[in-house]
Structure formats: C-alpha cells, structure tokens
C-alpha cells in the first residue's frame, strides 16, 4: 500500500514540515545525535542550566518531542520500518528517562525546585506520547498509527509546533519585505505593511514622520532622504511579554534604505536592481518582532527601523556636505553612497534616549566589503563586548544563521582614527581598505557608554545567489532565527 499524503490532516502536514525545519535548521539535536548528547552532558553543567532558568531543560523537551514526531511520520510515510521506528522511540525514552531521573535527584530547594517541577510537567506531555507511540508501533497497526498522529501527537508537542510556526512566520515576512521591488516597498508602504502584520500580535507601533524627525534634529537621516520624493519614516515596534512595563528591553535597530541608487555618488547601472534589498536590516527586525510576538516571548524587545530612499535629485545631499546628527555630532559626507550609517546613527541615538537599553543589536546591509571578506556564508559582527559576541556566535551556530567576528578599535584607536575629519567630528567614509571596519567604527561613536552593542553586517547573508537548506535563491530571512534563539537563551526566564 502506497502512502497518500492527502490522508494527513493540515496540522500534521505542517508538523512534518516543521520537523524537517528543525532537523535542517539545527533548532534541536538531530535524531542520530540524541544519545551522544545525553551521554556527554555532565550533571554539574545540567544543574547550572537549571539554576540559570531551565534553558537546557527546554532543549531536552524540544529534542524529545522531535524524536516522537520524527518516529511517527517516518514510520507512517514508510521511510523506516516498524522495528526501526520502535527502536528509535524506545532509545529516546530510555536516554530521556535517565537524564530526567538524574535531574530529579538533585538537591534543589525553594524556587529552584519549583522550576524543576514545572519543567518536569512540561516534559510529561512528550513522555506520555512516546509511551503511546511505542504501543502503536509494537502492534504494527497503520490505522492506529494514523489515529495517533491525527488525535494525540499534536497536543503532545503543541508548544513546540506553535513556537516553530511563529519563527517560520517571521522568516517568511522578512523574506517577503526584502524581495519586494522599490516601487512597492518604500518608507510609507513599509510602515503600513508592517503595522498591518504586527498590531494584531499585540505589538505597540510608533511612527515618526518627516516633520517629527526635523523637530528632533535628525539631520543625518534627513540628509539621506532629501533627494527622494518618498519621505522618510522612523518605525518603532515594541513587544513586552514580561508583564513588567519597566523591564529593560533588548533593542534591535535596522537599516531600511528601501532603494539605494547611491545618490549623487551614483552606483554603476549593472546590478543596481539588487538595491531593493538594501532595507534588509529593517526587514530582519520586522521579521524578528513577528516571530517573538507570535510565540509570546517572555521578554521585552524593541525594534527600530530607519526608513529612507537614497536618490539623486536637484535637492539631494552632495559630497562635501556637513550634517548635524541627532546626537549633536557633526558628519562630513564624503560619499553619498555610504548612507546606511547616516541612517543608523540617528536611530541608535533615538533608541537609547527613549528606551534605555543595555544591549543593542543593529542589522544592516552596510558594506560590500563584508561580502569580499565573508562571501554569502556568514554575517560580520563587530562588537564592544566579548560576552555578547560569544552569545551571538553560539546562537547562530545552533540555528545556522552563521556569524563571524571582525576587528573593532576602541574610540580613539587605530581604526577609529581612520574616520576623523578636519572639518567635522567625523567623516562618513574611511580609506579604501578596511571598509566594513570603518563603517562599524562610525556607528560605535553613537553607542552610549556602558551599553553592550553588536553591529551585524548582513550584506552577504541577506540575499543568496543560490538556494540553500533553509532558503531558496534570493532573500534568506537571515537574523530572525538568530535573534529568536538569542532571546530565548538570554532574555527569557
């Protein structure tokens, strides 16, 4: 008898796709590695994870749930036999039981003990499903397996599926925004598209128009926008799942140049059509916010998008102009095609003034130089914090949004001196060499003392010339999975 995919309910077709997404994307451990994972983890390390907020326990629950999903669908789809399916789920039950027994034996008291009990209850759903699945597989009854998949499997792993669905929705939304042409997505339409998507999710939306930006004194961002008939916008998205209105937020800032001709410093014609995705940083931030709100992340996160169009015009900014940024620092504009940093700097200043974050991540398709350095496989990260860099690196490896650290000087250091100007506080372009570094040095001058900050140059990662495991040719949705994992590991209790 051949398997007919149409017999699967919609939920379970989606579940199968999410299972594939998990395995290929690295959100949980692959089936073949589960036993090795449980064996290698030390009890002391596991106890540290429990005390840090059950993050490892959640990974165990998700991995266990995925084993149950994988065994069910591979057997039902005749990809593996009954014996192999039964062996897989029994192995998962045995390894999980040993690990969880060890956790229960720990001498945890008070709040730590309560956290452990909560985690054990969460894990129980997957355990009951695994026991039932073992009975069905042992009976070799395909109809019973179908009933199990349709009626009992989904409730057992429902939280896992809902989380993945939210992340997938965020990735899809980012890819859609980035793929749209410049006559469809421009500052005003970006705002309307995002508002329609995020407001039903409970995200608070704040929009500053050109008049607001002039009143504030955001001369750097306005200078970029002045050559276009499309007025600029600053879009702020706020999600708070903590229940505490005063919780310190994680801040995300995205470059949103909806089309970049280079301005008066005009780009070459061939390939200019690709500059529709120069708003990839803002697209990533919007997608991240959709993912976090969609899964009701227990964190406060703010996403700020600086939206402009960079065009040549009789009113356009000229090379040699000097603008005053929102921070009060002046910038000599040597090249109007180094415009992204002139948008991000005012957004960084506004974000810090209004939300007082302790951690900021900015996303930008900032330099072609980062593509020369890293091609399309990695995004470049420039950070003033070793800890923040390490956390991003681990999150990226776990979900296959890969990042690679680049050098950065302190203020006044060698690389920083390369953007000093004789007539202003700084210039917007350094020498030909080290282009990605000097762009990051420019942004660092707008980061307040004591704030942990990472600039993530996604120029190569946001758009791929060839399809990959998690994306087709074109927009990748880079950054959504990365920040979802980063928030889960470091901003949720």
């Amino acid at each position: 008898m051949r398997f007919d995919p149409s017999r699967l309910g919609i939920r379970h077709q989606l579940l199968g796709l999410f299972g594939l997404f998990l395995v290929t994307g690295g959100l949980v451990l692959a089936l073949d590695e589960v036993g090795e994972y449980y064996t290698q983890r030390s009890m002391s390390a596991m106890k540290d994870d429990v005390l840090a907020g059950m993050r490892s326990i959640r990974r165990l629950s998700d991995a266990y749930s995925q084993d149950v999903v994988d065994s069910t669908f591979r057997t039902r789809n005749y990809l593996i036999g009954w014996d192999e399916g039964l062996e897989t789920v029994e192995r998962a039950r045995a390894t999980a039981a040993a690990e969880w027994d060890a956790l229960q034996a720990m001498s945890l008291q008070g709040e730590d003990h309560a956290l452990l009990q909560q985690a054990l209850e969460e894990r129980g759903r997957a355990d009951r499903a695994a026991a039932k699945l073992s009975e069905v597989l042992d009976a070799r009854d395909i109809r019973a397996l179908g009933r199990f998949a349709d009626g009992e499997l989904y409730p057992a792993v429902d939280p896992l599926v809902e989380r993945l669905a939210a992340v997938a929705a965020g990735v899809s939304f980012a890819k859609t925004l980035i793929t749209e042409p410049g006559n469809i997505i421009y500052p005003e339409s970006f705002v309307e598209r995002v508002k329609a998507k995020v407001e039903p999710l409970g995200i608070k939306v704040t929009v500053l128009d050109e008049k607001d930006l002039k009143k504030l004194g955001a001369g750097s961002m306005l200078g970029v926008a002045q050559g276009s008939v499309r007025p600029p916008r600053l879009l702020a998205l706020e999600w708070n799942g903590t229940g505490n209105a005063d919780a310190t937020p994680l801040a995300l800032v995205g470059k949103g140049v909806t089309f970049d001709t280079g301005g008066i410093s005009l780009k070459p014609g061939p390939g200019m059509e690709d500059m529709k995705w120069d708003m990839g940083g803002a697209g990533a931030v919007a997608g991240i916010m959709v993912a976090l709100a969609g899964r009701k992340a227990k964190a406060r996160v703010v996403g700020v998008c600086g939206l402009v169009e960079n065009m040549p015009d009789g009113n356009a900014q000229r090379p040699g102009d000097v603008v005053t940024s929102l921070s009060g620092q002046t910038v000599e504009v040597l090249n109007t095609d180094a415009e992204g940093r002139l948008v991000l700097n005012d957004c960084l200043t506004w974000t810090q003034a209004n939300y007082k974050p302790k951690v900021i991540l900015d996303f930008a398709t900032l330099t072609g130089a980062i593509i020369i350095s890293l091609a399309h496989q990695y995004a470049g990260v420039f950070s003033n914090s070793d800890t923040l860099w390490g956390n991003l690196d681990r999150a990226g490896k776990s979900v296959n949004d890969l990042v690679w650290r680049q050098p950065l000087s302190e203020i006044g250091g060698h690389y920083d001196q390369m953007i000093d100007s004789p007539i202003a506080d700084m210039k917007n372009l350094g020498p030909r060499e080290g282009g990605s570094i000097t762009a990051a040095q420019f942004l660092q001058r707008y980061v307040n003392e004591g704030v942990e900050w990472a600039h993530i140059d996604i120029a190569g990662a946001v758009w791929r010339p060839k399809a990959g495991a998690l994306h087709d040719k074109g927009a990748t949705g880079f950054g959504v999975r990365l920040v979802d994992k980063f928030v889960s590991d470091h901003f949720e209790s």
Side-chain angles (χ1 to χ4, degrees), residues 7-8 60 91 98 118 160 180 262 268 319 329 355 401 407 456:
R7 293 170 56 197
L8 281 175
L60 292 176
R91 183 172 65 247
Q118 180 183 342
L160 174 64
E180 293 281 25
Q329 298 179 90
Y355 296 104
D401 268 2
I456 306 174

Side-chain angles (χ1 to χ4, degrees), residues 104-155:
Q104 286 180 294
M106 290 179 181
S107 299
L108 299 178
Q109 303 296 324
E111 183 179 352
D112 300 328
H113 178 74
L115 289 172
L116 178 59
Q117 293 306 308
Q118 180 183 342
L120 291 171
E121 291 174 9
E122 182 179 318
R123 171 256 182 169
R125 287 191 304 271
D127 199 39
R128 289 188 291 274
K132 177 64 175 178
L133 177 59
S134 291
E135 294 178 9
V136 172
L137 292 174
D138 190 46
R140 303 185 178 226
D141 185 339
I142 191 65
R143 293 182 183 276
L145 183 59
R147 289 193 297 271
F148 170 78
D150 293 335
E152 298 177 55
L153 177 60
Y154 185 82

Side-chain angles (χ1 to χ4, degrees), residues 190-210:
F190 185 101
V191 167
E192 294 308 312
R193 183 82 68 94
V194 173
K195 280 183 66 177
K197 182 73 172 180
V198 305
E199 284 184 332
L201 298 174
I203 291 176
K204 178 183 177 182
V205 178
T206 301
V207 182
L208 303 186
D209 61 17
E210 188 172 20

Side-chain angles (χ1 to χ4, degrees), residues 144-388:
L145 183 59
R147 289 193 297 271
F148 170 78
D150 293 335
E152 298 177 55
L153 177 60
Y154 185 82
V157 296
D158 184 70
L160 174 64
V161 175
E162 287 187 359
R163 178 192 179 95
L164 292 173
V167 175
V171 171
S172 178
F173 187 57
K175 290 169 66 176
T176 297
L177 291 172
I178 293 165
T179 302
E180 293 281 25
N183 63 322
I184 302 298
I185 289 293
Y186 43 89
E188 298 147 297
S189 63
F190 185 101
V191 167
E192 294 308 312
R193 183 82 68 94
V194 173
K195 280 183 66 177
K197 182 73 172 180
V198 305
E199 284 184 332
L201 298 174
I203 291 176
K204 178 183 177 182
V205 178
T206 301
V207 182
L208 303 186
D209 61 17
E210 188 172 20
K211 184 183 297 185
D212 297 322
L213 293 169
K214 286 180 178 178
K215 185 176 180 180
L216 286 171
S220 184
M221 181 174 171
L222 287 167
V224 177
Q226 70 187 45
S228 174
V229 297
R230 305 289 192 188
R233 293 288 185 269
L234 187 148
L235 173 65
L237 310 172
E238 182 180 355
W239 166 256
N240 192 345
T242 67
N244 177 9
D246 297 323
T248 301
L250 165 67
L252 312 172
V253 177
K255 169 190 170 184
V257 180
T258 58
F259 194 83
D260 180 21
T261 66
I264 296 298
S265 305
L266 193 66
K267 294 179 181 291
M272 192 190 289
E273 68 277 4
D274 287 345
M275 289 300 95
K276 67 181 182 180
W277 49 258
D278 206 24
M279 39 63 68
V285 168
I288 292 164
M289 298 303 293
V290 167
L292 296 177
R295 69 172 181 82
K296 297 179 174 55
K298 293 179 174 59
R300 185 182 179 206
V301 183
V302 174
V304 176
C305 303
L307 303 165
V308 300
E309 189 176 61
N310 187 24
M311 301 290 282
D313 178 79
N315 194 47
Q317 184 166 254
R318 297 157 291 271
D321 284 0
V322 175
V323 296
T324 302
S325 68
L326 183 57
S327 72
Q329 298 179 90
T330 55
V331 182
E332 180 187 10
V333 180
L334 296 186
N335 188 311
T336 64
D337 195 25
E339 86 298 332
R341 64 204 73 180
L342 298 174
V343 175
L344 287 171
N345 62 346
D346 279 350
C347 290
L348 286 167
T349 300
W350 186 86
T351 301
Q352 291 170 101
N354 285 274
Y355 296 104
K356 306 295 189 297
K358 294 181 179 178
V359 178
I360 301 176
L361 309 178
D362 80 67
F363 289 84
T365 52
L366 204 62
T367 66
I370 203 67
I371 305 178
I372 302 304
S373 299
L374 300 176
H376 298 279
Q377 312 311 311
Y378 289 83
V381 173
F382 303 79
S383 182
N384 62 5
S385 166
D386 293 340
T387 300
L388 179 57

